[in-house]
Amino acid sequence: MARNKYDVDEELGTPFSWEYCKRLLNYVVPYKKEMITTLIVMLISSVSTLLGPYLVKISMDTNIPNKDVRGLIVVCIVFFITIVVSALCMRYRIRTMNYVGQEVVKNIRSDIFNHLQKLPFSYYDSRPHGKILVRVVNYVNALSDLLSNGLINLLTDLFSILVIIGFMVFISPKLTMVCMIGMPILAIIVALLVKVQRRNSQIYSNKQSNLNAYIQESISGMKVTQAFAREKVNAEKFKTVSNENRRTWINAVKYQLLLWPAIENTSVFTVSLVYLIGVRSIGESITIGTLIAFVGYIWRFWNPIVNISNFYNALIMAMAYLERIFETLDEPVTIANLPDAYDIPEVKGSVEFRNVVFKYEDEDREVLRNVSFEIKPGETIALVGPTGAGKTTIINLLSRFYDVTSGEVLVDAHNIRNVTLDSLRKQMGVMLQDTFIFSGTILENIKYGKLDATDEEIIRAAKAVKAHDFIINLKDGYNTEVNERGSRLSVGQRQLISFARALLADPKILILDEATSSIDTKTEQALQEGLNKLLEGRTSFVIAHRLSTIKNATRIMVINDGQIVEQGSHDELIDVKGEYYELFTAQYEIVRAV
């Protein structure tokens, strides 16, 4: 659970592997036609550009000494054509590779998002949502330039180096050998920098993730921050996290920038040697045109080396992001359909727990201990007990948001681990304690429970839970736009909308987790009338701390310390004078005192 903090770095669960690069290339394969075409176009551009120094050599050594104006004009026209060809090729590359890069980024992001929707609740319990969000947005965006230009530029630059070396050898093998002196020096520098660069990039990605997590947490809790006047304290925390992000970024960039001056100094050193040896050899085996052309090729030789070093730097940074991205994609989907899972038939509503034991990951304490009970179709079961007793865990296991540690959960005698998730959950209506309202209209939010529902069905469900009256009094009625999480609605209004959403699905099994906790007494009385009709013919599980709302339940189960300590009707449990009696009378006394 230590990951679930903004100030704790996420350590990678697996070491770096070049398999990540292979997996990234798998996203590029569908666009191999565009990649190959662009590569051919860029090779043509590279050859056109590299003809320049050789054309200068012809002009210096032949056309100008011989006063061949016609030949000089031809050389100028050819030179101009090479510039035009190079420009057209560059335009094609920019358009095509930006398209390919964005398509690949879109596909990677879609895969992450789709995978996140399949991950169990335990995954989200163990890390801040900001650290998840940074993978889907920031890290994937960081790959955009690498995919749009990096791969093609790398291949083009490698080709250019080979062509340049060919031209250099053709012009002067002697000066070519001098130029190659700097390569071993550069190779040693790169070897020394590679490990420290990767490590610093990983540290920076950690701090970037922490910063994103803190910002997300702060925005989500802004009302609490302002209510307790914590702005200055939070600003100091943000400053600390932000400074860590800045410091690690500087360290990462510092080592990246060491490569460029190393290449620059090496290139200047080799060019100086070429000038020194070339000038001394003029008139013997080297002409002025040859020396000028060769120096032109030297600078062109080092340009792709610089480009490759920039690609290398981008790749090192991208590796840190790729590790995080593929770590997320490799996160196991523990709540999934078994290979031989089948669709559960239309549910009648019987539910059975057989010796169910459950504990959360990385925890030794058992939340539920050998829980067993049988529910007949149409019964309304109320779960009561102190906070943390295991009430919500029971309905989470029934919905298969988590899997049992041991034991079995059966619906109509079907072990829910053997049936498909969709077929199970589509026959359940769930209203959790933490109601969530999506951005959009109220109509769309209720319709979320049944996407093909008509407006009449939506209004009927809203009327049943007594939400219709407050909805039609809003500015645009059912078409009123609400913000994410429904911040412009009261807590009670959000619960009513969430309740209508659950009921619209016409579920055979209805689960209500504190469904009326934030509804006033008058509204609750009206709501209870609608619920009594809707609960008929359904198996219902109701969690309620307000015990007056569950007096009519078929059976009340008292949960304490992960076990069912009492069960029976309201009157039966009152007569027993056990834990339920104590809870009920204590609550009754509090109400009388108020």
Side-chain angles (χ1 to χ4, degrees):
M1 302 296 286
R3 282 187 171 191
N4 199 20
K5 295 182 67 178
Y6 68 84
D7 57 350
V8 175
D9 293 341
E10 292 186 284
E11 294 298 328
L12 286 169
T14 56
F16 172 75
S17 172
W18 285 104
E19 287 296 321
Y20 295 146
C21 293
K22 293 181 182 179
R23 290 174 67 177
L24 180 62
L25 289 176
N26 289 335
Y27 284 96
V28 179
V29 169
Y31 307 96
K32 60 183 178 182
K33 181 179 178 181
E34 290 86 350
M35 296 284 288
I36 292 172
T37 303
T38 305
L39 179 59
I40 293 171
V41 168
M42 289 309 298
L43 295 181
I44 293 172
S45 172
S46 178
V47 171
S48 299
T49 303
L50 294 175
L51 284 174
Y54 190 73
L55 294 174
V56 171
K57 178 183 183 303
I58 293 173
S59 299
M60 294 289 294
D61 290 345
T62 305
N63 299 130
I64 294 176
N66 296 329
K67 298 182 181 180
D68 183 2
V69 177
R70 184 178 178 182
L72 189 61
I73 292 173
V74 170
V75 168
C76 290
I77 292 173
V78 173
F79 192 82
F80 176 75
I81 291 173
T82 62
I83 294 173
V84 172
V85 169
S86 179
L88 291 175
C89 291
M90 189 64 68
R91 181 176 182 271
Y92 178 86
R93 188 211 73 181
I94 292 172
R95 292 184 62 182
T96 304
M97 291 314 301
N98 279 331
Y99 163 76
V100 171
Q102 290 306 311
E103 282 293 305
V104 172
V105 164
K106 181 195 72 175
N107 294 337
I108 294 174
R109 184 174 287 123
S110 295
D111 283 353
I112 297 176
F113 182 77
N114 292 334
H115 188 69
L116 287 172
Q117 293 191 97
K118 300 174 184 177
L119 293 178
F121 281 13
S122 57
Y123 176 80
Y124 299 95
D125 292 340
S126 62
R127 50 188 48 78
H129 293 173
K131 291 192 177 185
I132 300 172
L133 182 64
V134 76
R135 286 161 162 75
V136 184
V137 182
N138 301 54
Y139 291 173
V140 176
N141 284 345
L143 300 177
S144 178
D145 188 61
L146 183 70
L147 295 168
S148 300
N149 301 300
L151 294 175
I152 290 297
N153 285 350
L154 174 66
L155 296 174
T156 303
D157 288 331
L158 290 173
F159 175 79
S160 297
I161 289 173
L162 294 176
V163 173
I164 290 169
I165 291 175
F167 273 108
M168 289 166 64
V169 171
F170 178 75
I171 293 173
S172 175
K174 179 181 178 180
L175 294 180
T176 303
M177 293 297 294
V178 175
C179 181
M180 293 296 110
I181 291 175
M183 294 305 293
I185 301 172
L186 188 61
I188 294 171
I189 294 173
V190 171
L192 292 173
L193 289 177
V194 61
K195 288 185 178 180
V196 67
Q197 276 185 279
R198 176 175 176 263
R199 181 56 187 161
N200 278 278
S201 296
Q202 286 180 330
I203 294 172
Y204 170 60
S205 72
N206 281 339
K207 301 305 180 184
Q208 188 180 16
S209 178
N210 292 349
L211 178 62
N212 201 78
Y214 185 72
I215 293 172
Q216 190 273 338
E217 179 183 290
S218 298
I219 292 173
S220 298
M222 192 57 67
K223 289 184 179 179
V224 178
T225 296
Q226 294 183 3
F228 287 91
R230 291 266 302 183
E231 292 90 342
K232 290 184 178 180
V233 176
N234 285 6
E236 285 300 315
K237 286 185 178 181
F238 175 79
K239 183 178 179 181
T240 300
V241 177
S242 184
N243 283 339
E244 281 292 298
N245 183 71
R246 178 184 62 84
R247 180 184 60 79
T248 54
W249 179 83
I250 290 174
N251 283 339
V253 171
K254 177 175 66 178
Y255 287 102
Q256 286 183 7
L257 295 180
L258 284 176
L259 196 57
W260 178 82
I263 295 173
E264 189 71 16
N265 291 330
T266 304
S267 65
V268 170
F269 172 70
T270 54
V271 169
S272 300
L273 283 178
V274 167
Y275 271 124
L276 181 63
I277 296 173
V279 169
R280 289 187 175 184
S281 302
I282 289 178
E284 299 175 4
S285 58
I286 297 175
T287 64
I288 294 177
T290 297
L291 182 59
I292 293 174
F294 196 89
V295 171
Y297 278 119
I298 289 180
W299 289 119
R300 281 170 171 78
F301 172 78
W302 287 106
N303 279 339
I305 296 292
V306 171
N307 292 337
I308 290 173
S309 73
N310 291 333
F311 173 81
Y312 166 80
N313 282 331
L315 183 64
I316 291 296
M317 184 64 77
M319 285 301 101
Y321 299 144
L322 277 179
E323 289 171 322
R324 304 294 181 184
I325 290 170
F326 286 122
E327 181 193 40
T328 303
L329 286 172
D330 291 338
E331 192 71 32
V333 181
T334 55
I335 308 297
N337 295 331
L338 296 175
D340 56 349
Y342 57 91
D343 289 346
I344 190 170
E346 185 175 347
V347 169
K348 294 179 180 179
S350 68
V351 175
E352 181 180 358
F353 274 50
R354 290 182 184 170
N355 301 316
V356 169
V357 175
F358 176 76
K359 62 180 180 179
Y360 291 101
E361 293 181 8
D362 303 324
E363 287 191 9
D364 296 328
R365 186 180 71 88
E366 293 179 345
V367 181
L368 294 180
R369 296 184 289 127
N370 294 317
V371 172
S372 297
F373 59 81
E374 290 186 42
I375 309 299
K376 296 177 181 179
E379 288 189 327
T380 298
I381 307 301
L383 304 176
V384 301
T387 301
K391 304 184 297 295
T392 300
T393 302
I394 288 176
I395 64 173
N396 281 341
L397 293 177
L398 177 59
S399 306
R400 210 185 162 204
F401 294 141
Y402 299 89
D403 274 334
V404 298
T405 304
S406 66
E408 292 180 309
V409 177
L410 300 98
V411 172
D412 287 1
H414 296 275
N415 187 326
I416 63 172
R417 297 190 72 166
N418 297 330
V419 302
T420 59
L421 289 169
D422 282 352
S423 67
L424 174 69
R425 291 174 180 170
K426 282 180 179 178
Q427 301 192 64
M428 290 185 178
V430 181
M431 181 179 170
L432 299 176
Q433 186 174 359
D434 182 18
T435 58
F436 192 94
I437 300 298
F438 297 91
S439 57
T441 66
I442 290 178
L443 187 83
E444 291 168 341
N445 267 279
I446 298 175
K447 197 173 183 179
Y448 201 85
K450 185 182 178 184
L451 296 179
D452 59 348
T454 63
D455 290 355
E456 290 76 17
E457 289 176 313
I458 293 171
I459 293 172
R460 193 181 307 125
K463 284 181 176 179
V465 299
K466 307 303 177 184
H468 179 73
D469 291 342
F470 93 79
I471 293 175
I472 60 173
N473 287 324
L474 296 174
K475 180 181 178 182
D476 297 315
Y478 282 86
N479 292 314
T480 301
E481 293 281 342
V482 291
N483 297 334
E484 180 185 342
R485 304 194 72 88
S487 59
R488 294 182 180 178
L489 300 173
S490 70
V491 178
Q493 289 173 334
R494 293 201 296 270
Q495 284 191 321
L496 287 174
I497 290 173
S498 182
F499 203 13
R501 176 198 298 163
L503 294 176
L504 181 64
D506 191 24
K508 296 297 182 181
I509 298 176
L510 186 62
I511 297 173
L512 309 177
D513 186 353
E514 290 293 340
T516 61
S517 62
S518 299
I519 299 174
D520 59 83
T521 304
K522 181 179 178 181
T523 304
E524 182 187 322
Q525 291 173 349
L527 175 62
Q528 198 68 44
E529 296 174 10
L531 284 180
N532 289 337
K533 294 179 181 179
L534 290 167
L535 292 177
E536 292 178 2
R538 307 178 197 275
T539 302
S540 305
F541 287 82
V542 181
I543 296 178
H545 285 109
R546 198 183 299 178
L547 301 184
S548 59
T549 63
I550 49 105
K551 291 173 64 175
N552 296 326
T554 309
R555 195 189 323 172
I556 298 171
M557 295 195 298
V558 182
I559 315 296
N560 198 350
D561 195 25
Q563 293 182 308
I564 300 174
V565 295
E566 289 180 353
Q567 58 179 313
S569 67
H570 170 76
D571 292 336
E572 289 171 346
L573 294 178
I574 290 295
D575 291 340
V576 172
K577 293 187 177 181
E579 289 197 26
Y580 179 77
Y581 174 82
E582 292 178 2
L583 288 171
F584 186 81
T585 53
Q587 197 170 97
Y588 180 71
E589 290 297 328
I590 292 173
V591 172
R592 284 186 60 187
V594 174

